Amino acid sequence: MPLNRQIVSVKPLTVPTTGRSIPLQVKVTAPIEGDTLPVIVFSHGNAWSMDGYEPLIERWSAAGFIVVQPTHLDSRRNRIGFDDPRFAGIWRVRIADLHAILNHLGDIFDQVGGLPARADHTRIAIVGHSWGAQTTGALLGARVLDAAGTPGEDYSHPAVKAGALIAATGTGDSLTPFAVEHLPFMRPGYATMTTPALVVAGGKDQSAMSTRGPDWFTDAYHLSPAPKRLLSISDGEHTLGGVAGEAVKETTDEDPARVALVADAVSAYLLDVLGLDSTPWQAWEKQAADSSGTFTIDTK
């Protein structure tokens, strides 16, 4: 998908919230032209911020979406490590961040000239990568399970019509000792994730947090109820070519074409499921069938 629209970003915008030691700020990226624009709220991976993931954000905005990116409390710029007493509750703060954004979308857009009249508040999606994918999953209906497997609180949000989970945490029965100690919330239960979603997984994504292989990142698809779709990228590792940015040091599989695949497949999926245009997704299904296994699409 070509970047055929000019886009503009505005930051920082402060969002009202409570129970947060640091103000919640967001960046808004939108096409310069166009009306009735659908909205994506994006949740970044661990340690990132609203200033990351430009290869995704810019392509989504060029495809016609308004994208809102928060800086979560775990951003490296906030210097909150595992030994900080706030860290244990950051997973809940992340979820609260997304709720605050969704509840104040009108106020956020009011701070961007001309945007309020151009936004379609009936077509809102959420997308996340890595830890952001688990955060996003909670708003789609997934719940964190305790050690006994009992589901926790329901954090789903009625404004969210669809989502995409990129490299999402799998079930917690195979967590490494480090993850059990420091990330006990990494136990998503997907049985209640009823909102339509696309799951994106890399065929070479081996998590340091799980003793399972790359199939761990497909749990969000296999263990959740329909309707769901799964995009499997055979050579993709955890950053799927470098979704967080160009030449980012944690990227282990640098490939701009793979990043573009992820970005454009997500926007095509959302355009389809939000009832705007099914043509781009149909084209991706055909490409998958012709890709000789480079990437595959499953649907239920």
Side-chain angles (χ1 to χ4, degrees):
M1 180 181 297
L3 297 177
N4 55 3
R5 301 193 196 196
Q6 288 187 316
I7 62 176
V8 62
S9 294
V10 179
K11 67 169 187 177
L13 305 173
T14 301
V15 180
T17 188
T18 58
R20 214 175 186 276
S21 57
I22 299 170
L24 172 59
Q25 293 187 325
V26 302
K27 178 170 74 172
V28 174
T29 303
I32 289 178
E33 298 179 346
D35 296 312
T36 59
L37 301 172
V39 179
I40 294 174
V41 178
F42 179 77
S43 180
H44 62 72
N46 180 48
W48 277 91
S49 72
M50 63 182 173
D51 295 317
Y53 292 87
E54 285 190 349
L56 298 182
I57 305 308
E58 292 185 354
R59 293 187 80 91
W60 293 338
S61 189
F65 290 87
I66 300 170
V67 185
V68 184
Q69 295 173 264
T71 294
H72 291 303
L73 207 57
D74 57 280
S75 173
R76 59 174 59 91
R77 62 184 54 173
N78 293 329
R79 299 183 179 181
I80 298 175
F82 291 128
D83 57 346
D84 191 298
R86 292 172 291 180
F87 188 85
I90 279 181
W91 69 274
R92 288 189 176 90
V93 178
R94 278 176 149 265
I95 294 169
D97 289 348
L98 300 188
H99 275 265
I101 291 166
L102 291 165
N103 293 339
H104 292 93
L105 270 181
D107 297 331
I108 294 169
F109 294 159
D110 282 343
Q111 300 176 67
V112 183
L115 200 55
R118 300 170 57 218
D120 185 348
H121 288 260
T122 69
R123 289 185 168 96
I124 297 173
I126 54 175
V127 182
H129 172 247
S130 194
W131 194 357
Q134 184 177 352
T135 306
T136 293
L139 275 77
L140 298 173
R143 302 192 187 187
V144 174
L145 309 180
D146 65 16
T150 303
E153 186 175 347
D154 178 7
Y155 292 107
S156 58
H157 195 288
V160 176
K161 306 306 180 185
L165 309 182
I166 304 170
T169 298
T171 55
D173 55 355
S174 64
L175 293 179
T176 62
F178 176 89
V180 170
E181 179 181 358
H182 296 286
L183 309 166
F185 56 84
M186 198 176 279
R187 292 180 176 274
Y190 290 114
T192 53
M193 195 175 76
T194 57
T195 307
L198 172 69
V199 177
V200 181
K204 294 184 178 179
D205 188 354
Q206 178 59 60
S207 176
M209 302 300 167
S210 172
T211 58
R212 282 172 56 192
D215 69 298
W216 192 57
F217 292 98
T218 66
D219 285 353
Y221 172 77
H222 292 294
L223 302 179
S224 64
K228 297 292 184 298
R229 299 177 198 175
L230 172 65
L231 170 63
S232 302
I233 302 173
S234 60
D235 288 334
E237 299 181 17
H238 195 61
T239 58
L240 292 157
V243 293
E246 295 178 359
V248 169
K249 64 180 181 180
E250 57 257 48
T251 299
T252 55
D253 63 334
E254 191 80 33
D255 187 343
R258 187 171 299 143
V259 175
L261 188 162
V262 172
D264 294 350
V266 168
S267 60
Y269 168 76
L270 293 178
L271 288 171
D272 182 20
V273 78
L274 293 175
L276 291 166
D277 187 358
S278 62
T279 305
W281 181 257
Q282 291 171 355
W284 275 111
E285 289 183 315
K286 184 178 186 306
Q287 287 186 50
D290 295 340
S291 74
S292 301
T294 300
F295 65 95
T296 60
I297 292 173
D298 294 287
T299 302
K300 67 176 182 180

